[in-house]
Amino acid sequence: MRDDPLFLLALPTFAVLMLVEWLADRRDPDRPANGIAGRDTASNVATFFLGRIAKPLLAQALPFSAVVLAAALTPLRLSPAHWWVWVLGLVVTDFCYYWSHRADHRVRLLWTAHSVHHSSRFFNFSTAIRLSWAHPVVSQLRGLFWVPAALLGFPAWMIFLLQTIGLLYQFPIHTQRIRTLGKPIEFLFNTPAHHRVHHGSNQPYLDTNYGGVFIIWDRMFGTFAAETEPIRYGLTKDLDTDNPLKVNYAELMSLVRDVRTARTWRGRLGYLFGPPGWSEHPARQATPSSPADPEPARAVA
């Protein structure tokens, strides 16, 4: 999420929704055991606010943006004065988000940052703000996925704004309080039901439901899964900590150890750019159904 005025204005709404969800959970005799936990929520909030401190400093240290550069160089120009440009922009930027999010789960270097969001064993509104921070290389690589939108002629500021809108949309779908919505909505849009599946770490949920605003991309590209059995939230290998520093850097440290001990350049590159669970030793290769140990912690896509 970007630290822009729209996002900052949404913070009070996030806080109110988290409070309402917590009160509803306290009064529900049938509340799920993996709904809300105090220490987990505190870790989510702490991780979030540490990120608000670190990210502005990181932005000053690494001011380069591939999206801004691409928008300046492209000969195409789309005017935000037309309503259809905004509609098209939302679709295009969400399409870019789908592929970025898919790469977050399939490229281990990107997973070192995104795994932070999936590391909670609980699923509630506060899970939405459990976000990584101070992963500069990952941030620059992820930005490349929105370069096509800039090359099509969308202004850079518009792309960033639509990114933020797409991420704000995803906050209220981090809940178990809403089961399903109407069929047309469930078919086209990402919903709490779809996103719960995305956060599952058990089969058949691993690496599914990458969509941001629209779930139609998953239906088109074969990564959609419906909720068919109980969901186990978190990583395939639990971090077993609520320390926000460990939550943020555990997978990165695991990656560094694997790269340092790799015996070949194929192994080093494989650990960086292969999927989580990849190993240069085939006998130790992890699979979603039978994770090996040691293994990078994984979760749903």
Side-chain angles (χ1 to χ4, degrees):
M1 289 185 176
R2 304 184 62 83
D3 291 319
D4 58 21
L6 181 61
F7 177 75
L8 295 176
L9 287 172
L11 288 180
T13 303
F14 291 175
V16 170
L17 286 174
M18 285 190 285
L19 177 60
V20 170
E21 184 186 44
W22 179 79
L23 291 173
D25 185 76
R26 295 303 93 187
R27 297 178 180 181
D28 184 0
D30 299 320
R31 60 181 180 270
N34 53 9
I36 299 177
R39 289 177 62 88
D40 177 79
T41 299
S43 178
N44 295 343
V45 173
T47 301
F48 172 79
F49 280 107
L50 285 171
R52 296 319 96 194
I53 297 171
K55 285 189 175 182
L57 299 176
L58 180 63
Q60 293 179 15
L62 293 171
F64 173 77
S65 170
V67 171
V68 172
L69 180 63
L73 295 177
T74 182
L76 302 178
R77 293 290 185 270
L78 291 172
S79 173
H82 303 298
W83 67 267
W84 60 267
V85 173
W86 286 92
V87 175
L88 180 62
L90 180 62
V91 174
V92 170
T93 54
D94 194 66
F95 184 68
C96 295
Y97 175 85
Y98 169 83
W99 290 105
S100 172
H101 194 187
R102 185 165 176 167
D104 283 340
H105 286 263
R106 303 305 300 156
V107 177
R108 190 178 175 195
L109 179 60
L110 300 183
W111 178 243
T112 60
H114 191 60
S115 62
V116 176
H117 181 61
H118 283 271
S119 59
S120 172
R121 292 178 290 107
F122 300 85
F123 188 76
N124 52 68
F125 285 147
S126 75
T127 309
I129 62 173
R130 189 182 180 110
L131 303 170
S132 65
W133 43 273
H135 288 255
V137 174
V138 172
S139 299
Q140 293 295 330
L141 288 176
R142 290 191 86 252
L144 297 176
F145 284 90
W146 282 268
V147 166
L151 294 176
L152 287 174
F154 293 99
W157 66 265
M158 186 178 184
I159 294 172
F160 295 144
L161 177 58
L162 290 171
Q163 278 183 280
T164 300
I165 291 173
L167 290 171
L168 291 177
Y169 172 90
Q170 293 181 57
F171 178 87
I173 63 176
H174 287 79
T175 184
Q176 298 184 63
R177 308 302 302 181
I178 300 173
R179 300 313 302 169
T180 58
L181 303 173
K183 286 186 178 180
I185 296 175
E186 294 284 344
F187 181 81
L188 182 61
F189 293 97
N190 198 6
T191 66
H194 298 323
H195 206 59
R196 284 193 294 272
V197 165
H198 172 73
H199 273 259
S201 60
N202 53 308
Q203 291 289 27
Y205 302 138
L206 279 173
D207 299 327
T208 59
N209 295 6
Y210 297 112
V213 175
F214 302 105
I215 200 67
I216 196 71
W217 310 127
D218 291 281
R219 297 184 187 276
M220 291 172 60
F221 297 106
T223 52
F224 175 77
E227 185 174 352
T228 56
E229 60 185 61
I231 299 173
R232 180 169 64 84
Y233 298 105
L235 304 171
T236 57
K237 185 178 181 182
D238 186 39
L239 295 181
D240 194 28
T241 180
D242 292 308
N243 184 315
L245 291 174
K246 292 181 179 179
V247 164
N248 192 69
Y249 289 116
E251 176 57 19
L252 179 60
M253 294 300 99
S254 176
L255 172 64
V256 170
R257 285 194 298 270
D258 284 343
V259 171
R260 288 181 60 185
T261 58
R263 298 179 179 178
T264 65
W265 276 105
R266 175 183 175 275
R268 297 183 187 101
L269 293 174
Y271 285 126
L272 284 170
F273 301 108
W278 185 89
S279 173
E280 67 177 332
H281 308 288
R284 292 166 56 188
Q285 188 97 5
T287 63
S289 57
S290 61
D293 192 13
E295 175 205 5
R298 293 193 58 197
V300 178

